Amino acid sequence: MIIAIDGPSASGKSTTAKLVAKKLDFLHIDTGAMYRAVTLYFLEHQVPLNNPTQIKQSLEKIDLKLSAEGKLFLNGRDVAEAIRENPVTNFVSQVSAIPAVRDRMVELQSNLARNHDVVMEGRDIGTRVFPDADYKIFIVADTEVRSRRRYLEMREKGVDCSYESILKDLIERDRFDSTREHSPLKKADDAIVIDTTRLTIEEQVAEIIDIIRSNQ
Ligand code: DC
């Protein structure tokens, strides 16, 4: 079974997807983390984003694997922390807009789901990666609420940041992700929308589990 969860940054997608997967005993695949890992590789190897040949060669050298717990490994290295740091965050929208990168990720994502029941989250899972997914959920929330959540999350991690700069960054990222030419962030016509502005994480998870159970 495939459950596709799409939505903008800081909508609560990741936490929700992880908990839904845990409840159903499915594999959780965070495709944003995959784009982030490619971005990390490109930054570390100084791959120029305007050079299709070098991009193609680099993509061939990138091996992405998921551990049984859903941890992502880039060429055998645990990159869970590095992919959340600022250089990657600042650069990932540009990298994920490159068609060759997207084609490779979609191929990997299809392979990862081949032998598992999965909860896969991202921006284009219901529209491009699995247009025939069993369930498609599109998570939305007010921009201010998303910024506040992200701000509190960063502060909790001890990162020095301002609410205003996070809000500005989210607006810019949403604009970039939804207007790019290839597989923009977009609700699939048959996706169920969940607005999490006034929901807790537990309520979001319960809503998705209800949708699935009521269909079985
Ligand atoms: O979910 P996230 O913030 O970790 O995603 C990082 C970036 O990757 C974001 O700018 C959009 C992009 N992305 C994408 O283009 N397609 C996906 N399926 C997942 C993420």
Side-chain angles (χ1 to χ4, degrees), residues 41-51 54-55 58 91:
Y41 183 96
F42 280 13
L43 282 170
E44 288 181 344
H45 294 81
Q46 293 166 14
V47 178
L49 300 190
N50 57 0
N51 186 325
Q54 281 199 46
I55 287 175
S58 302
F91 215 44

Side-chain angles (χ1 to χ4, degrees), residues 6-10 13-14 30-33 35-36 84 89 92-94 96-97 102 109 121-125 129 150 173 176-177 180 182-183:
D6 290 301
S9 301
K13 244 184 6 264
S14 276
D30 172 0
T31 62
Y35 286 97
R36 284 171 179 271
R84 302 290 158 197
T89 300
V92 62
S93 272
Q94 285 176 64
S96 58
R102 301 207 69 82
Q109 288 152 14
E121 51 145 320
R123 305 292 192 286
D124 60 341
I125 312 306
V129 185
R150 182 56 52 91
R173 189 177 297 271
F176 196 93
D177 291 343
R180 70 175 175 224
H182 301 279
S183 311

Side-chain angles (χ1 to χ4, degrees), residues 107-172:
E107 190 185 337
L108 282 177
Q109 288 152 14
S110 310
N111 289 341
L112 283 171
R114 190 146 292 155
N115 300 312
H116 295 277
D117 289 323
V118 298
V119 178
M120 191 176 284
E121 51 145 320
R123 305 292 192 286
D124 60 341
I125 312 306
T127 50
R128 168 147 192 229
V129 185
F130 290 114
D132 297 323
D134 300 272
Y135 295 94
K136 296 184 192 179
I137 311 286
F138 196 79
I139 297 195
V140 297
D142 284 356
T143 313
E144 284 76 14
V145 170
R146 290 191 285 127
S147 302
R148 181 140 299 277
R149 286 178 187 161
R150 182 56 52 91
Y151 173 69
L152 294 175
E153 190 185 308
M154 303 286 265
R155 291 296 296 264
E156 210 163 278
K157 284 188 192 155
V159 180
D160 188 23
C161 56
S162 78
Y163 169 80
E164 287 71 25
S165 68
I166 289 179
L167 176 65
K168 193 166 152 264
D169 179 64
L170 268 191
I171 292 171
E172 179 53 23

